C-alpha cells in the first residue's frame, strides 16, 4: 500500500463519485478506479458499494476512512514539523469566535503569539456559539472561542474568561434611576426585554426569572450585541447581555447596570475537536494560550 492509494481513497470517499474525485486529483477516471480496486484487493474487503449513479462507503470503508485521514494528517504534520525546524514555525491558523469579549481575547493572544512566530498567518471567523461549534466539528477551523452553555460532545475545552451579565437600560426608562451600579433581576420582570437569539439563552434567562416565580417578557431576540444596543437606544426595551456589550454604550443615552439576585456570569471556553489532531501551529497556539492563562497577572 502506497501513500497515493490512501490519498486517492480519501478523495473518492469525500466525493462519493469517481469522476469528481478524478478531477480533484487531476488524473483520469479509469486509473483512479483501478487504484481503488487494487487497494480493496490488498485489504481483502470492498470499501465502496458501487451503485449506478453513486458510491456508498461500506462498513469497512467507513472504518478505513478514519485510519486513512489520521495517516494523512500525521504525514502532513511531520512535513510541517521538519519544515519548521529549518525555517521557523509557519502556516495558517483558522480561528472562530463569538462576539462579546472573545474578539479581545483572540486579539491579545494573537498579538503575543505573533511576536514569537511572525511567519504564522491568521484567518478569523465570527458567529454565534452554535455556528462556531459546527465549524470546529467539521474541521473548518482549528480552535473556537465560545460561551456557555455549549454541547461538549466531541470537543476538548478550557475555560478562559468570565464576565457578569448586565442590563442596558434606556436613559429615559424609570429603572435607569435605580440606585447604584447593579439591579435585581426581578425589577426587570414587568418590562419588555431584548436578549440573545440562541435558544439556550432563552431557556437560561427564563430559568433566572423562574427562580423567583416570574416570567420574562421577551420582545426581541438579537444575534449581535450592536443591534441590541441600537434597539435599546431607541427605547424598544431593556437589553440583557454579557458585560462586553457595555462597550457599545459610550453615550448618555444608555444606562448600564450589573444584574444581581442572582448575580449571573457569562463564561468563555476555548474549544477544539477531539476527533482530529491539531496542526503544529494550532498546538503551539493552544500551548501559548494555556501558558498565558497560567501566568499570574502583572502587578
Amino acid at each position: 500500500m502506497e501513500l497515493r492509494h490512501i490519498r486517492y481513497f480519501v478523495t473518492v470517499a469525500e466525493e462519493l463519485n469517481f469522476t469528481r474525485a478524478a478531477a480533484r486529483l487531476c488524473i483520469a477516471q479509469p486509473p483512479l478506479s483501478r487504484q481503488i480496486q487494487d487497494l480493496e484487493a490488498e485489504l481483502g474487503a470492498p470499501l465502496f458499494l458501487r451503485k449506478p449513479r453513486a458510491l456508498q462507503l461500506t462498513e469497512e470503508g467507513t472504518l478505513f476512512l478514519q485510519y486513512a485521514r489520521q495517516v494523512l494528517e500525521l504525514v502532513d504534520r511531520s512535513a510541517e514539523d521538519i519544515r519548521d525546524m529549518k525555517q521557523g514555525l509557519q502556516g495558517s491558523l483558522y480561528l472562530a469566535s463569538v462576539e462579546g469579549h472573545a474578539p479581545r481575547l483572540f486579539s491579545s493572544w494573537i498579538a503575543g503569539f505573533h511576536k514569537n512566530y511572525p511567519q504564522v498567518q491568521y484567518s478569523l471567523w465570527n458567529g454565534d456559539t452554535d455556528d462556531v461549534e459546527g465549524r470546529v466539528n467539521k474541521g473548518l477551523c482549528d480552535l473556537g472561542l465560545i460561551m456557555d452553555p455549549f454541547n461538549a460532545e466531541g470537543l476538548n475545552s478550557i475555560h478562559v474568561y468570565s464576565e457578569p451579565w448586565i442590563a442596558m437600560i434606556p436613559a429615559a426608562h424609570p429603572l435607569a434611576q435605580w440606585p447604584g451600579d447593579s439591579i435585581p433581576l426581578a425589577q426587570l420582570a414587568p418590562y419588555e426585554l431584548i436578549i440573545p437569539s440562541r435558544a439556550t439563552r432563552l431557556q437560561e434567562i427564563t430559568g433566572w426569572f423562574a427562580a423567583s416565580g416570574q416570567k420574562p417578557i421577551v420582545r426581541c431576540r438579537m444575534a449581535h450585541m450592536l443591534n441590541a444596543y441600537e434597539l435599546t437606544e431607541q427605547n424598544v426595551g431593556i437589553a440583557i447581555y454579557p458585560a462586553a456589550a457595555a462597550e457599545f454604550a459610550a453615550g448618555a443615552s444608555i444606562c448600564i447596570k450589573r444584574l444581581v439576585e442572582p448575580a449571573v456570569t457569562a463564561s468563555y471556553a476555548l474549544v477544539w475537536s477531539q476527533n482530529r489532531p491539531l496542526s503544529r501551529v494550532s498546538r503551539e497556539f493552544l500551548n501559548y494560550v494555556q501558558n498565558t492563562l497560567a501566568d499570574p497577572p502583572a502587578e
Side-chain angles (χ1 to χ4, degrees):
M1 185 186 305
E2 299 181 17
L3 187 60
R4 60 187 171 87
H5 290 124
I6 297 176
R7 293 193 186 278
Y8 289 171
F9 166 73
V10 170
T11 304
V12 175
E14 290 174 347
E15 295 292 343
L16 290 177
N17 182 284
F18 278 111
T19 301
R20 292 195 299 267
R24 271 182 57 184
L25 294 165
C26 298
I27 63 174
Q29 180 179 336
L32 176 60
S33 298
R34 286 196 299 272
Q35 296 286 346
I36 298 300
Q37 290 172 359
D38 291 344
L39 180 60
E40 290 175 317
E42 182 174 351
L43 293 171
L47 300 175
F48 296 98
L49 294 176
R50 290 158 173 82
K51 299 183 178 181
R53 295 191 177 183
L55 293 176
Q56 180 179 334
L57 282 167
T58 62
E59 184 176 353
E60 295 87 349
T62 300
L63 177 62
F64 187 69
L65 179 60
Q66 297 176 19
Y67 288 118
R69 282 174 168 160
Q70 292 176 19
V71 168
L72 295 181
E73 286 170 346
L74 287 172
V75 169
D76 292 341
R77 185 193 296 181
S78 63
E80 283 182 0
D81 289 351
I82 297 300
R83 184 173 59 249
D84 292 343
M85 290 177 64
K86 182 178 180 180
Q87 302 176 354
L89 186 66
Q90 54 186 302
S92 295
L93 188 59
Y94 296 90
L95 308 170
S97 82
V98 297
E99 56 175 5
H101 198 77
R104 179 169 293 179
L105 288 170
F106 260 150
S107 296
S108 174
W109 296 333
I110 290 172
F113 194 71
H114 177 67
K115 292 178 181 178
N116 297 333
Y117 306 107
Q119 298 186 72
V120 173
Q121 297 180 319
Y122 304 89
S123 176
L124 279 76
W125 185 92
N126 293 96
D128 66 22
T129 289
D130 296 333
D131 295 331
V132 174
E133 279 184 45
R135 294 184 74 84
V136 172
N137 284 322
K138 294 175 183 176
L140 298 176
C141 69
D142 303 308
L143 299 165
L145 191 48
I146 60 180
M147 296 176 67
D148 284 333
F150 63 91
N151 181 9
E153 184 178 356
L155 295 176
N156 296 307
S157 66
I158 55 172
H159 171 78
V160 294
Y161 187 76
S162 294
E163 63 180 346
W165 283 74
I166 60 166
M168 293 191 288
I169 306 171
H173 195 282
L175 290 184
Q177 305 306 314
W178 190 270
D181 62 357
S182 63
I183 189 167
L185 188 72
Q187 297 298 319
L188 277 57
Y191 301 103
E192 295 182 328
L193 303 178
I194 302 166
I195 69 171
S197 60
R198 288 180 64 204
T200 49
R201 283 294 184 222
L202 176 60
Q203 297 168 7
E204 183 180 22
I205 292 170
T206 300
W208 298 344
F209 283 90
S212 58
Q214 298 172 310
K215 185 177 180 179
I217 305 171
V218 177
R219 179 58 54 210
C220 299
R221 295 169 62 185
M222 311 300 300
H224 300 292
M225 291 179 177
L226 180 58
N227 293 339
Y229 164 75
E230 295 290 348
L231 285 176
T232 304
E233 193 173 39
Q234 296 299 320
N235 205 28
V236 173
I238 297 173
I240 299 179
Y241 277 80
E247 297 176 6
F248 296 115
S253 60
I254 300 291
C255 176
I256 302 296
K257 293 190 180 294
R258 180 171 42 86
L259 294 179
V260 294
E261 301 178 23
V264 286
T265 58
S267 296
Y268 295 79
L270 187 66
V271 300
W272 63 99
S273 175
Q274 295 177 350
N275 301 318
R276 50 179 59 86
L278 289 172
S279 66
R280 170 81 187 280
V281 174
S282 302
R283 297 198 313 273
E284 292 295 338
F285 186 82
L286 178 58
N287 290 337
Y288 174 83
V289 171
Q290 291 175 312
N291 290 335
T292 299
L293 296 173
D295 288 340
E299 297 183 357

